[in-house]
Every structure is written in structure tokens, then in C-alpha cells.
């Protein structure tokens, strides 16, 4: 199944008629992760045809309202629909207290377990979600308030077993298939030996996605995006508002492109656009001068994440 991201909100600070507040969904094997949860995220999930019952975790970057005010409405809806699956909320310290202060989403009001992972401003690096198949790590960014960026990293998958080839070599027992897949040498009943390399392809590298917003361009952003298959980076302004970007703790489109280039990312998607830009193609043009494979995030569009290398398509 393909991994893809779906931007749900791409506007900075305030919504516009055509752009919503920050949120991006990542779809993996039918499950969902959410990066930021600005106001109206639950409506955007509906429009995107994504089910919040598939949501396993929500990662909040920082406690500016445009990045988390949607959390209360979304959690409240989940409770009204009697969700039972646990949900993880990751974000800066204080997020748990804020959510619990809202009637309808306090612990006692919920039908499901809400597990918080809170990050403190002395954070250097932390794996905040670790499953059999992927990890999500957090690193501190450079904004006006404590903010973190995230990287989703799928773990390396074992190579594919060529069943036809295995059968041709006389392997018929499913326990032998399993052993070969695990890299073990198999001896058949008639004494013949089958090496795993003869029937199993090379290990398949997992896909990676970095979410970097809000921030001035910074080293942690580069580290999070290192070799990433897809980087979503905020680009609030163009270079002619550089002074504004520095003052308010944001990046220009050129800054975002520099981060993508330095990190060796495969593809860059720009987001978190200032409301002053009706047409975001100026931001894309500016970024492409530095990093060609750039697009402006389009809300509700699905961006497939392809692993780098020969298995790309
Ligand atoms: Zn913001
Ligand atoms: Zn902010």
C-alpha cells in the first residue's frame, strides 16, 4: 500500500477563503497520523474522505493557536461517536493541561484512552512513536516559542520472496518460505541446500517524511529532512519579506529550498503561506531556483511518497 500525505490546511496564522489552518495527514497502510491540528481540521478530514477512526496519533508542533485549536473539536467528535481505540497526542509540554481544561474532552468524558507525550524545551532529539514498522522522531526548531519538527521513518522491510523461483528450486513448505525470508539457509528433505539470496530480493528501504513548521531555517530542520523522500517545510514569505520572516520566526520559500537542498531531500512541498499571497506560484518559483523538485501544498491533494532508488515507481 502506498504511503501518502494529504495537506489539510496550508494557511499561516489566519485562514483565508481558500486556505485552512495548519494540518497535514499521513496515510500509511490504511492508518492515519496527523501533523498539527488547526481549527477546521475535522471538516477537512471529512472533505478528504479520511476517517478519524483510523487516526493513531496527532503530532502538534507548537502551541500557537493556528496549529492546535482543531484538537478540541476533533476529540469531542470522537467521544460523541464512542471511539474506543486509544489515541496518542504528542506536543510541547502544556498541551495535556490545555486539552483537559475543555469540557467534553476531559479524561472522564472520553470513551477512549488518550495518551500524551509531552516535550520540554530542553529537547534535543526524541523518538515519540515507535511501532514495528515505523518511528516518528521530534527535534526542536527555531520559532518565537518552543516548536518541534517531526520525521516519519518507515523501517527497512525484508526483501520480497520470489515464490515461483523458490518452487522451481524445490521449496514447497511454508516454514521454509518463512526461514528464507528471515535470511536463513534451508536444507530440503532430499538434502539440497537453498540459499536465501537465491529466492529473496534485497531489503527494501522504508519511506521517510519530514514535517518542519513553524521555524526559521535551522540545522534541526536539515537533520529531520536528511535524505527524506518528502519534506513539508513552511514557507510563510518570499525573500522580499526576509526581515519579517526572521523577526517572526519563519522561513522564506528560498530558505525552505535551501534546507531541502542541504538535506538531500527528494521532494519539497511548501506550506504555511501568509494570507498576503493569493497566488503562491511566486513562492514556488523562488524555491525552484534553489531546489527544482518543489511544489506548493494543495489542500486535499494526495502526494504519494516514493522510496528513493530503483524501486521508485
Ligand atoms: Zn503557524
Ligand atoms: Zn507559530
Amino acid at each position: 500500500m502506498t504511503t501518502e500525505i494529504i495537506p489539510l490546511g496550508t494557511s499561516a496564522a489566519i485562514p483565508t477563503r481558500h486556505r485552512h489552518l495548519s494540518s497535514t495527514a499521513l496515510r500509511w497502510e490504511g492508518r492515519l497520523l496527523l501533523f498539527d491540528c488547526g481549527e477546521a481540521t475535522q471538516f477537512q478530514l471529512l472533505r478528504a474522505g479520511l476517517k478519524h477512526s483510523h487516526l493513531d496519533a496527532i503530532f502538534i508542533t507548537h502551541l500557537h493557536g493556528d496549529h492546535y485549536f482543531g484538537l478540541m473539536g476533533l476529540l469531542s467528535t470522537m467521544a460523541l461517536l464512542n471511539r474506543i481505540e486509544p489515541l496518542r497526542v504528542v506536543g510541547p509540554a502544556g498541551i495535556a493541561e490545555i486539552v483537559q481544561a475543555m469540557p467534553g474532552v476531559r479524561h472522564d468524558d472520553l470513551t477512549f484512552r488518550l495518551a500524551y507525550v509531552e516535550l520540554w524545551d530542553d529537547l534535543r532529539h526524541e523518538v515519540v512513536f515507535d511501532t514495528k514498522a515505523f518511528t516518528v522522531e521530534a527535534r526542536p526548531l527555531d520559532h518565537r516559542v518552543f516548536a518541534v519538527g517531526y520525521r516519519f521513518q518507515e523501517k527497512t522491510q525484508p526483501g520480497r520472496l520470489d515464490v515461483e523461483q523458490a518452487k522451481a528450486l524445490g521449496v514447497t513448505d511454508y516454514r521454509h518460505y518463512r526461514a528464507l525470508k528471515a535470511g536463513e539457509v534451508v536444507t530440503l528433505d532430499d538434502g539440497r541446500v537453498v540459499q536465501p539470496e537465491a529466492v529473496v530480493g534485497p531489503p527494501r528501504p522504508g519511506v521517510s517524511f519530514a514535517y518542519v513548521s513553524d521555524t526559521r531555517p535551522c540545522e534541526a530542520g536539515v537533520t529531520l529532512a536528511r535524505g527524506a523522500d518528502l519534506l513539508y517545510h513552511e514557507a510563510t514569505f518570499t525573500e522580499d519579506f526576509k526581515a519579517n520572516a526572521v523577526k517572526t520566526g519563519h522561513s522564506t520559500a528560498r530558505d525552505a529550498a535551501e534546507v531541502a537542498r542541504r538535506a538531500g531531500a527528494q521532494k519539497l512541498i511548501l506550506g504555511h503561506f501568509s494570507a498576503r499571497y493569493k497566488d503562491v506560484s511566486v513562492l514556488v518559483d523562488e524555491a525552484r531556483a534553489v531546489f527544482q523538485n518543489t511544489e506548493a501544498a494543495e489542500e486535499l491533494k494526495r502526494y504519494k511518497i516514493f522510496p528513493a532508488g530503483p524501486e521508485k515507481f
Side-chain angles (χ1 to χ4, degrees), residues 5-12 14-24 39-40 44 47-48 232 269-273 280 296-303:
I5 68 144
I6 304 102
L8 301 174
T10 60
S11 196
I14 54 169
T16 72
R17 277 173 53 147
H18 302 290
R19 293 200 291 263
H20 298 78
L21 295 173
S22 284
S23 186
T24 291
E39 205 181 326
Q44 288 293 82
R47 291 189 189 110
Y232 179 102
I269 291 183
L270 303 175
H272 199 268
F273 307 120
V280 293
E298 212 178 291
E299 293 183 6
L300 308 187
K301 182 174 167 179
R302 296 184 175 218
Y303 297 87

Side-chain angles (χ1 to χ4, degrees), residues 62 64 143 214:
H62 64 299
H64 277 158
H143 193 38
D214 295 353

Side-chain angles (χ1 to χ4, degrees), residues 62-64 66-67 143-145 147 213-215 248-250 272:
H62 64 299
L63 298 182
H64 277 158
D66 58 319
H67 292 256
H143 193 38
R144 301 199 300 284
V145 297
S213 184
D214 295 353
T215 189
T248 55
H250 288 296
H272 199 268

Side-chain angles (χ1 to χ4, degrees), residues 20-309:
H20 298 78
L21 295 173
S22 284
S23 186
T24 291
L26 183 145
R27 202 159 155 270
W28 179 88
E29 299 285 331
R31 305 302 300 174
L32 286 178
L33 304 178
L34 211 53
F35 294 90
D36 279 330
C37 190
E39 205 181 326
T41 295
Q42 63 168 327
F43 301 98
Q44 288 293 82
L45 282 168
L46 283 171
R47 291 189 189 110
L50 300 172
K51 292 199 162 97
H52 50 67
S53 56
H54 293 168
L55 202 51
D56 290 325
I58 302 174
F59 303 90
I60 302 295
T61 55
H62 64 299
L63 298 182
H64 277 158
D66 58 319
H67 292 256
Y68 78 95
F69 281 176
L71 205 48
M72 292 62 164
L74 178 59
L75 295 175
S76 171
T77 297
M78 286 173 172
L80 290 171
L81 292 175
N82 296 319
R83 177 188 172 107
I84 45 170
E85 300 85 5
L87 180 73
R88 176 178 300 228
V89 172
V90 182
I95 186 82
E97 197 186 340
I98 292 170
V99 173
Q100 306 237 27
M102 299 296 295
V105 290
R106 292 188 194 108
H107 259 307
D108 297 345
D109 300 326
L110 295 181
T111 52
F112 57 98
R113 204 170 73 80
L114 200 53
Y116 293 98
V117 177
E118 294 200 302
L119 302 166
W120 300 83
D121 57 9
D122 60 353
L123 170 79
R124 289 182 152 201
H125 165 243
E126 189 171 323
V127 173
V128 289
F129 201 23
D130 190 0
T131 75
K132 258 202 274 187
F134 64 81
T135 57
V136 178
E137 64 167 310
R139 287 181 186 269
L141 301 175
D142 178 15
H143 193 38
R144 301 199 300 284
V145 297
F146 174 57
V148 297
Y150 295 100
R151 178 188 176 105
F152 167 90
Q153 177 68 58
E154 200 180 14
K155 294 178 181 173
T156 301
Q157 311 285 311
R160 285 206 176 84
L161 176 75
D162 185 338
V163 179
E164 290 309 311
Q165 174 70 3
K167 276 186 186 156
L169 292 173
V171 185
T172 50
D173 190 329
Y174 77 94
R175 280 169 302 187
H176 286 160
Y177 288 145
R178 213 163 46 195
L180 287 163
K181 247 197 134 172
E184 293 164 24
V185 178
V186 159
T187 306
L188 303 177
D189 291 343
D190 60 10
R192 278 186 297 150
V193 172
V194 180
Q195 302 288 341
E197 305 81 55
V199 292
V200 179
R204 292 167 292 149
V207 296
S208 49
F209 166 64
Y211 182 85
V212 182
S213 184
D214 295 353
T215 189
R216 300 178 185 94
C218 65
E219 284 309 308
V222 176
T223 306
L224 286 166
R226 179 85 60 211
D229 299 307
L230 187 60
L231 164 63
Y232 179 102
H233 199 291
E234 74 127 291
T236 312
F237 301 107
T238 41
E239 276 291 303
D240 37 347
F241 291 95
K242 176 77 179 173
N244 231 359
V246 173
K247 197 172 111 206
T248 55
H250 288 296
S251 299
T252 65
R254 189 191 168 87
D255 289 333
E258 290 285 1
V259 170
R261 186 185 60 76
R262 287 185 53 213
Q266 297 297 311
K267 184 184 171 87
L268 170 64
I269 291 183
L270 303 175
H272 199 268
F273 307 120
S274 161
R276 74 175 64 240
Y277 301 104
K278 299 267 174 305
D279 175 5
V280 293
S281 62
V282 285
L283 292 142
V284 176
D285 291 345
E286 183 178 293
R288 279 188 181 159
V290 173
F291 188 83
Q292 181 55 36
N293 198 7
T294 302
E295 270 186 58
E298 212 178 291
E299 293 183 6
L300 308 187
K301 182 174 167 179
R302 296 184 175 218
Y303 297 87
K304 292 189 181 358
I305 309 179
F306 298 106

